Amino acid sequence: AQTVTQSQPEMSVQEAETVTLSCTYDTSESDYYLFWYKQPPSRQMILVIRQEAYKQQNATENRFSVNFQKAAKSFSLKISDSQLGDAAMYFCAYRSAISGSEKLVFGKGTKLTVNP
Amino acid sequence: ETGVTQTPRHLVMGMTNKKSLKCEQHLGHNAMYWYKQSAKKPLELMFVYSLEERVENNSVPSRFSPECPNSSHLFLHLHTLQPEDSALYLCASSQEGLRSPLHFGNGTRLTVT
């Protein structure tokens, strides 16, 4: 079974600075997807960024980018120019690419605080 | 209205009550999910429905009973719950087969007294 580990229960960053959230995972599959979701106090899980394992290029979405190291099974999220609205719980998630295995496996999450 | 909508937003129930959680998706997706989110624990997948058929049941106690009458609606029927069932219950949907991400609702905060 796949597992996802987020080793940082809490992180903080100064507004306008850069922060990196860590995520490692364990799988025997070669094709899969990785996601970062954000959960603000409104509770809705919002997709931040996704990465397909067969793509070597790291995904980027505006101020959000990932460092995907497939051999190391590492998938960190970098938030640049942090904003107060970035404060939230961040969850790393794994999803198999096998058809019929649509479920996400989540890590425990990292609580990000942004200080003004 | 777009996205995934869950009702009620909050629910307090006694252990002998029967209640239902409702989820509706307006995204045209064909798969729906129930997740349980407890403090200090990863989100736990409870049930998956694909094309209105239950394709996964992760050893969830029978006091939780899902129902998927059509591809847009998903229910979670609750009866004789325990205090440890208190959690945030999240519904999600996706388009199976197109490698689409899951879209989540705002969740129902359930408290069992």
Side-chain angles (χ1 to χ4, degrees):
Chain A
Q2 295 85 17
T3 58
V4 176
T5 302
Q6 292 178 251
S7 59
Q8 306 153 316
E10 297 188 28
M11 291 282 286
S12 63
V13 62
Q14 291 296 125
E15 196 175 4
E17 297 294 307
T18 296
V19 64
T20 299
L21 308 184
S22 301
C23 173
T24 59
Y25 57 94
D26 187 27
T27 184
S28 58
E29 298 175 339
S30 59
D31 193 16
Y32 48 86
Y33 304 93
L34 296 165
F35 304 85
W36 278 99
Y37 278 87
K38 168 186 177 181
Q39 187 179 39
S42 68
R43 305 183 325 207
Q44 185 176 22
M45 298 283 278
I46 301 166
L47 178 66
V48 175
I49 198 166
R50 62 182 292 186
Q51 174 80 40
E52 290 147 317
Y54 66 87
K55 290 187 177 179
Q56 292 186 340
Q57 186 173 7
N58 289 324
T60 62
E61 285 288 342
N62 301 313
R63 298 183 294 107
F64 299 88
S65 62
V66 299
N67 183 4
F68 174 47
Q69 301 291 328
K70 191 172 184 180
K73 297 180 182 174
S74 170
F75 183 60
S76 61
L77 174 69
K78 185 172 81 171
I79 306 174
S80 304
D81 186 25
S82 297
Q83 300 176 1
L84 294 178
D86 295 333
M89 285 292 293
Y90 285 82
F91 293 92
C92 179
Y94 170 101
R95 180 177 178 182
S96 172
I98 297 173
S99 179
S101 298
E102 308 293 334
K103 66 179 181 180
L104 284 175
V105 177
F106 285 88
K108 289 186 178 181
T110 297
K111 182 179 180 181
L112 178 66
T113 301
V114 181
N115 301 310
Chain B
E1 191 173 351
T2 59
V4 181
T5 304
Q6 288 187 244
T7 54
R9 191 162 173 80
H10 301 274
L11 178 62
V12 179
M13 60 186 289
M15 290 189 284
T16 58
N17 291 158
K18 290 185 180 181
K19 297 285 184 183
S20 295
L21 309 185
K22 179 182 176 182
C23 176
E24 185 173 0
Q25 60 96 1
H26 306 273
L27 300 168
H29 289 163
N30 59 10
M32 297 187 77
Y33 311 75
W34 280 116
Y35 278 86
K36 176 183 179 182
Q37 186 177 21
S38 305
K40 311 294 184 186
K41 294 175 68 176
L43 274 77
E44 303 170 62
L45 178 66
M46 301 176 71
F47 301 103
V48 181
Y49 275 84
S50 175
L51 300 172
E52 301 155 40
E53 285 191 32
R54 192 190 311 180
V55 297
E56 187 142 357
N57 175 348
N58 269 7
S59 302
V60 179
S62 60
R63 56 186 184 268
F64 294 92
S65 175
E67 178 189 2
C68 186
N70 55 61
S71 60
S72 299
H73 294 85
L74 184 66
F75 295 90
L76 188 62
H77 303 301
L78 317 170
H79 64 97
T80 58
L81 293 191
Q82 304 297 311
E84 59 265 29
D85 296 323
S86 298
L88 181 67
Y89 289 84
L90 290 165
C91 175
S93 70
S94 72
Q95 184 62 24
E96 189 177 320
L98 291 184
R99 303 184 170 187
S100 72
L102 268 62
H103 295 258
F104 286 84
N106 285 352
T108 294
R109 173 71 65 189
L110 174 67
T111 303
V112 181
T113 61

